[in-house]
């Protein structure tokens, strides 16, 4: 019997996590540990300065007043009676592609799984307007099943983005690299009723640089995007650059 830990960043009450749990229940014993409230864009943050409380919400279903990373760490290291064979995070409402994976709580939960040595998957529905999570959950199940039977990959996680289409309209699967986001008008400045300025991050619709092998291109063309992500973000090109600089101890 395989053990699967599910988490997310949209919170325990999000429809995407329910669809995911239903989709994966046929593969093994599913446990859910997810944030009590929405934690989108919390990245890989860890709660260190206040207590973490766990609330039982149903059979093998727990909410934590914390971040996605807190949930996976707590579940794997302390709370679950046995180590999971797979961590699956999602299904997120909205894409997690390109540099956005750096901010993503959905990806962070899967990354925490990978750090803990558990094969991990992040899955996102690439739309904020489509609320049918069943196709993305079915795809997560197919990928999870293949990964469970293939054995653990070496310290990387799989980031899945699913186009907002019915299953019979999805054109296939593509293994992709992270694309590059173009940020336009990302910060909005306004004035509050007391005449003071405030700022709002995120406004315009994102666009991205073209690149046929990217996650953005795959989803745009109706394919499921599967991006393998490393934990090691060391830049190979940076070695020569740094060694070529004449920097000395002052
Ligand atoms: Mn989210």
């Amino acid at each position: 019997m395989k053990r699967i830990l599910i988490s997310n960043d949209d919170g325990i009450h999000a429809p995407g996590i329910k669809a995911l749990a239903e989709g994966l229940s046929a593969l093994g014993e599913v446990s859910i540990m997810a944030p009590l409230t929405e934690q989108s864009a919390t990245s890989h943050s860890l709660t260190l300065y206040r207590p973490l409380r766990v609330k039982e919400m149903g059979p093998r279903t727990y909410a934590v007043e914390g971040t996605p990373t807190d949930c996976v760490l707590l579940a794997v290291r302390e709370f679950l009676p046995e180590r999971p064979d797979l961590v699956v995070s999602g299904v997120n409402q909205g894409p997690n592609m390109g540099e956005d994976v750096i901010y993503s709580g959905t990806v962070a939960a899967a990354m925490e799984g990978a750090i803990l040595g558990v094969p991990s998957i992040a899955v996102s529905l690439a739309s904020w307007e489509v609320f049918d999570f069943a196709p993305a959950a079915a795809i997560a199940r197919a990928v999870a099943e293949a990964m469970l039977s293939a054995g653990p990959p070496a310290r990387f996680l799989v980031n899945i983005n699913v186009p907002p289409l019915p299953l019979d309209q999805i054109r296939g699967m593509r293994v992709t690299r992270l694309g590059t986001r173009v940020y336009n008008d990302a910060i909005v400045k306004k004035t509050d009723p007391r005449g003071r300025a405030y700022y709002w991050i995120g406004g315009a619709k994102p666009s991205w640089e073209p690149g046929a092998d990217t996650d953005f291109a795959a989803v745009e063309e109706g394919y499921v995007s599967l991006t393998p992500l490393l934990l090691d973000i060391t830049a190979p090109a940076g070695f020569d650059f740094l060694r070529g600089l004449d920097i000395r101890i002052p």
Side-chain angles (χ1 to χ4, degrees), residues 9-10 40 92:
D9 77 353
D10 291 343
S40 290
N92 188 61

Side-chain angles (χ1 to χ4, degrees), residues 189-214:
K189 183 181 177 184
K190 298 247 177 185
T191 308
D192 75 13
R194 295 189 178 85
R196 293 175 307 182
Y198 66 90
Y199 303 86
W200 204 276
I201 297 174
K205 252 202 146 157
S207 55
W208 52 90
E209 289 174 6
D213 55 349
T214 65

Side-chain angles (χ1 to χ4, degrees), residues 8 31 42 54 56 65 68 88 104 110-111 119 125 139 145 147 179 198 218 250:
N8 75 349
S31 302
T42 55
V54 177
E56 192 169 349
E65 292 176 59
V88 187
S104 169
M111 200 168 275
L125 175 61
I139 283 157
E145 193 165 18
M147 276 178 65
Y198 66 90

Side-chain angles (χ1 to χ4, degrees), residues 7-32:
S7 194
N8 75 349
D9 77 353
D10 291 343
I12 193 96
H13 299 295
I17 199 168
K18 290 191 177 78
L20 185 63
E22 279 165 27
L24 297 182
S25 61
L27 296 184
E29 185 188 76
V30 168
S31 302
I32 302 174

Side-chain angles (χ1 to χ4, degrees), residues 99 180-185 205-210 216:
E99 294 89 341
T180 304
R181 184 103 122 70
V182 179
Y183 286 87
N184 19 5
D185 303 317
K205 252 202 146 157
S207 55
W208 52 90
E209 289 174 6
F216 290 112

Side-chain angles (χ1 to χ4, degrees), residues 127-141:
S127 170
W128 286 284
E129 290 101 26
V130 172
F131 307 103
D132 182 8
F133 292 92
I139 283 157
R141 178 189 160 160

